[in-house]
Amino acid sequence: ICSIPHPSKHEEALAQYIINWATEQGFDVRRDPTGNVFIKKPATPGMENKKAVVLQAHIDMVPQKNEDTEHDFTKDPIQPYIDGEWVTAKGTTLGADNGIGMASCLAVLASKDIKHGPIEVLLTIDEEAGMTGAFGLEAGWLEGEILLNTDSEQEGEVYMGCAGGVDGTMTFDISREATPAGFVTRQLTLKGLKGGHSGCDIHTGRGNANKLLGRFLAGHAQELDLRLVEFRGGSLRNAIPREAFVTVALPAENQDKLSELFDHYTDLLKTELGKIETGIVTFNELLASDAQVFSIADQQRFIAALNACPNGVMRMSDEIEGVVETSLNVGVITTEENKVTVLCLIRSLIDSGRSQVESMLRSIAELAGAQIQFSGAYPGWKPDADSEIMAIFRDMYEGIYGHKPNIMVIHAGLECGLFKEPYPHMDMVSFGPTIKFPHSPDEKVKIDTVQLYWDQMVALLEAIPEKA
């Protein structure tokens, strides 16, 4: 899996590899119009009357790399290595999200000694960039009554619900003018932040590079007579931005003052965030550039809106202790010749929470004279207190380890909510090994928890009840 590139939108080579392998093994392999892969394996002898189980994972991975890492995710293999108790990758995301889950599904197919009823494996495409595979899944393709989602990231926890989400895209039309005489161009860089998953890690107090550079501009752009040339930061709507870059022009005589203020701001961030963000670094570099600058009015609108835009945890859940209800991630900012685009991801366990944040962003856009569009909305997965497979998992887990698992709802987008639309009666749970810092180059999976997860998968398949 690591050797075949498979970032979102570019997972076809890995999908074909899996299809060819499964076909060679003699399994029934199909593909729907969306590109999802379906593989069926008959029950082991004596288990034919068990309820059919769908094992589910997504094929794609999040492509994130450190700025100084040379890596083309569409061509280059991931380079995993063992680091103590963990497996991680050299300078990039590892793809344990959801590669470990996918590997476990294929391992069940390949096994000769695991007892199980009828098995279907569903491998979806493009989960990380828009849940395209889950959106495209139609009724009639799956026969199973139970679905085991493998896209969770904490051993000892089993999930029975998740947040829904929607993308918000704010667009600022900008006009440009010639850089004033006597101005020089400099690039301000903020990097070294931890980043991470904008659902699972949003409550951890990590810095958002887009917001932090926006804060500096809001505080000092007028004082220094800064003129914006470009703002870019973040690379994925569902990853907390680790790096951001601002190109500015300013009077040559203000360069020393900029250096003094930017150094002071760096120290301030290290004081405020240093217990969590231990690797903050900034750069202030002279650039040779003849690019035009934003008009003053358009610059002020953009900076004010970015500084005012909410980010992070909006509200904790009243229903589930310690779980985020609603959040917002100001994920990606890009600059073109005549516009700036800000891409956000809103998550919420409840529709009204999502609607509230949509309304906040709409108001900011209105005040700033920007356009805003919401797209790609996906539903949450509502917990089912009467879930049979949840009870079976709980009892199985307690039987192995002598204590119950933590039954949780996750503040991240699992595909289960979308699966419920064409398959409303399918009983679902989600579980997996411990994966830290998904969606960032620090991603790692704890080796011993993969064995625990596999033991649970094997025991759960054997414990599936017979058909009614």
Side-chain angles (χ1 to χ4, degrees):
I1 289 171
C2 287
S3 68
I4 302 175
H6 57 284
S8 301
K9 313 286 185 186
H10 299 278
E11 59 268 70
E12 184 60 26
L14 182 54
Q16 283 298 331
Y17 174 85
I18 292 169
I19 288 168
N20 292 341
W21 172 82
T23 302
E24 289 172 4
Q25 302 301 309
F27 298 128
D28 177 14
V29 183
R30 297 177 299 156
R31 206 155 188 204
D32 68 10
T34 303
N36 298 317
V37 177
F38 303 79
I39 307 169
K40 291 179 73 173
K41 181 183 182 184
T44 54
M47 306 282 279
E48 294 85 358
N49 205 38
K50 297 273 189 178
K51 290 183 177 180
V53 172
V54 179
L55 304 179
Q56 190 269 322
H58 61 82
I59 301 173
D60 61 314
M61 65 171 284
V62 167
Q64 285 271 285
K65 68 182 184 70
N66 289 320
E67 183 77 9
D68 57 358
T69 298
E70 292 290 330
H71 189 91
D72 183 341
F73 281 95
T74 65
K75 298 177 182 178
D76 300 332
I78 300 299
Q79 299 181 57
Y81 68 95
I82 295 173
D83 182 14
E85 299 177 335
W86 303 82
V87 172
T88 188
K90 293 181 180 178
T92 71
T93 36
L94 173 63
D97 171 14
N98 186 212
I100 287 286
M102 179 163 46
S104 69
C105 295
L106 299 178
V108 171
L109 291 176
S111 71
K112 308 296 184 186
D113 56 353
I114 296 174
K115 297 178 180 178
H116 59 77
I119 294 287
E120 297 174 90
V121 168
L122 166 61
L123 303 177
T124 52
I125 63 159
D126 196 34
E127 189 268 354
E128 299 288 8
M131 296 202 178
T132 304
F135 270 112
L137 182 64
E138 297 176 349
W141 283 81
L142 295 173
E143 299 171 6
E145 299 178 52
I146 295 167
L147 185 140
L148 306 181
N149 172 277
T150 64
D151 197 15
S152 292
E153 291 155 1
Q154 183 63 52
E155 195 285 318
E157 296 180 354
V158 57
Y159 294 90
M160 60 185 300
C162 73
V166 66
D167 297 336
T169 304
M170 200 179 300
T171 306
F172 298 81
D173 292 327
I174 57 170
S175 57
R176 291 184 181 264
E177 54 194 48
T179 302
F183 277 49
V184 296
T185 304
R186 302 195 72 91
Q187 180 170 273
L188 305 178
T189 300
L190 171 63
K191 61 193 303 185
L193 302 180
K194 290 191 184 307
H197 193 294
S198 73
C200 301
D201 298 321
I202 200 70
H203 65 290
T204 58
R206 297 179 186 180
N208 179 311
N210 290 333
K211 288 288 293 177
L212 294 176
L213 271 190
R215 174 180 164 188
F216 179 80
L217 293 175
H220 300 294
Q222 287 183 286
E223 173 185 2
L224 294 165
D225 197 13
L226 297 181
R227 301 297 300 275
L228 269 183
V229 176
E230 180 187 34
F231 192 118
R232 60 184 172 92
S235 57
L236 293 167
R237 80 206 199 296
N238 57 358
I240 301 170
R242 298 176 296 112
E243 302 170 338
F245 309 84
V246 178
T247 305
V248 295
L250 77 162
E253 62 269 21
N254 288 355
Q255 291 183 89
D256 289 344
K257 185 65 173 176
L258 170 62
S259 296
E260 177 187 334
L261 289 171
F262 199 51
D263 288 347
H264 174 74
Y265 185 62
T266 303
D267 292 338
L268 179 67
L269 293 182
K270 290 178 179 178
T271 299
E272 290 181 353
L273 302 174
K275 286 191 175 180
I276 296 170
E277 297 289 4
T278 56
I280 296 173
V281 290
T282 59
F283 300 96
N284 172 9
E285 300 166 294
L286 186 67
L287 287 185
S289 172
D290 57 0
Q292 292 187 314
V293 297
F294 291 24
S295 71
I296 286 286
D298 292 342
Q299 172 176 314
Q300 289 175 340
R301 289 189 302 113
F302 166 67
I303 292 175
L306 175 58
N307 193 44
C309 189
N311 181 76
V313 176
M314 299 290 106
R315 193 168 192 273
M316 299 299 290
S317 173
D318 290 337
E319 302 293 328
I320 309 156
E321 185 177 355
V323 173
V324 177
E325 178 207 272
T326 305
S327 73
L328 172 66
N329 182 51
V330 181
V332 185
I333 300 179
T334 55
T335 303
E336 299 175 47
E337 179 63 28
N338 59 357
K339 68 179 180 181
V340 178
T341 303
V342 180
L343 179 57
C344 304
L345 176 57
I346 304 167
R347 301 180 190 266
S348 187
L349 300 177
I350 58 175
D351 291 341
S352 59
R354 189 182 79 188
S355 297
Q356 179 194 11
V357 179
E358 287 183 17
S359 176
M360 294 166 72
L361 292 184
R362 200 174 280 114
S363 295
I364 289 171
E366 183 177 342
L367 288 168
Q371 299 89 46
I372 190 158
Q373 289 185 319
F374 296 99
S375 61
Y378 56 89
W381 169 26
K382 186 177 179 181
D384 177 7
D386 298 321
S387 167
E388 180 184 39
I389 189 60
M390 176 59 72
I392 293 168
F393 186 99
R394 181 194 62 217
D395 294 344
M396 172 275 296
Y397 193 97
E398 186 174 20
I400 296 175
Y401 305 112
H403 61 90
K404 291 182 172 65
N406 295 321
I407 298 174
M408 303 285 290
V409 172
I410 191 171
H411 188 71
L414 298 177
E415 295 164 289
C416 299
L418 285 165
F419 297 155
K420 277 288 187 181
E421 295 193 355
Y423 300 94
H425 303 297
M426 191 172 282
D427 199 7
M428 306 182 188
V429 293
S430 179
F431 65 111
T434 297
I435 299 171
K436 295 295 187 185
F437 316 126
H439 299 192
S440 85
D442 297 325
E443 180 185 9
K444 58 184 182 179
V445 59
K446 197 161 189 287
I447 295 168
D448 62 347
T449 68
V450 177
Q451 183 64 57
L452 296 174
Y453 160 66
W454 177 249
D455 293 343
Q456 294 156 25
M457 174 70 80
V458 171
L460 191 59
L461 289 174
E462 189 171 356
I464 296 297
E466 294 195 348
K467 300 172 188 174

